[in-house]
Amino acid sequence: MVQQILFIIVAGGAFAYATKQFLQIRQTILLGKDEVVEGDTSERWRNVLLVAFGQKKMFKRWLPALFHLFIYVAFLFTQIELIEIFIDGV
């Protein structure tokens, strides 16, 4: 029981610190001026999905793309595992 309470306190502190840092970065970003974005919204979202999440540009050369895919998938697995560890800690 004591370990769970300590885990929650440490995790809460980490989340508080991360939130503080996030808000500082957000405040800095909001200093910029608004920009009018033109073009097809669905095409822009399609590009976001293909380039950012699908790693489209990485797959032009197959060997580096394969190694990058391994790292990308391993990162996703570690994040899922991290969520499971956090739930077990609570």
Side-chain angles (χ1 to χ4, degrees):
M1 184 69 172
V2 174
Q3 291 176 340
Q4 289 175 329
I5 292 171
L6 285 175
F7 180 81
I8 292 171
I9 290 170
V10 170
F15 278 123
Y17 180 73
T19 301
K20 179 183 173 204
Q21 296 300 314
F22 171 78
L23 291 175
Q24 285 181 343
I25 292 170
R26 183 179 183 276
Q27 185 179 17
T28 302
I29 290 171
L30 291 176
L31 290 174
K33 295 180 181 177
D34 288 340
E35 180 179 340
V36 177
V37 180
E38 298 175 359
D40 185 21
T41 305
S42 62
E43 183 66 27
R44 288 198 321 267
W45 277 109
R46 182 178 168 276
N47 276 342
V48 166
L49 293 174
L50 285 175
V51 175
F53 298 120
Q55 303 291 308
K56 177 182 174 185
K57 289 186 177 184
M58 184 53 76
F59 289 97
K60 291 185 180 182
R61 294 182 299 165
W62 72 271
L63 188 59
L66 185 65
F67 290 142
H68 187 270
L69 179 66
F70 288 152
I71 293 171
Y72 183 71
V73 170
F75 178 76
L76 292 177
F77 282 142
T78 57
Q79 295 310 301
I80 292 169
E81 195 64 30
L82 181 65
I83 292 169
E84 182 183 348
I85 290 169
F86 185 79
I87 291 170
D88 287 344
V90 175

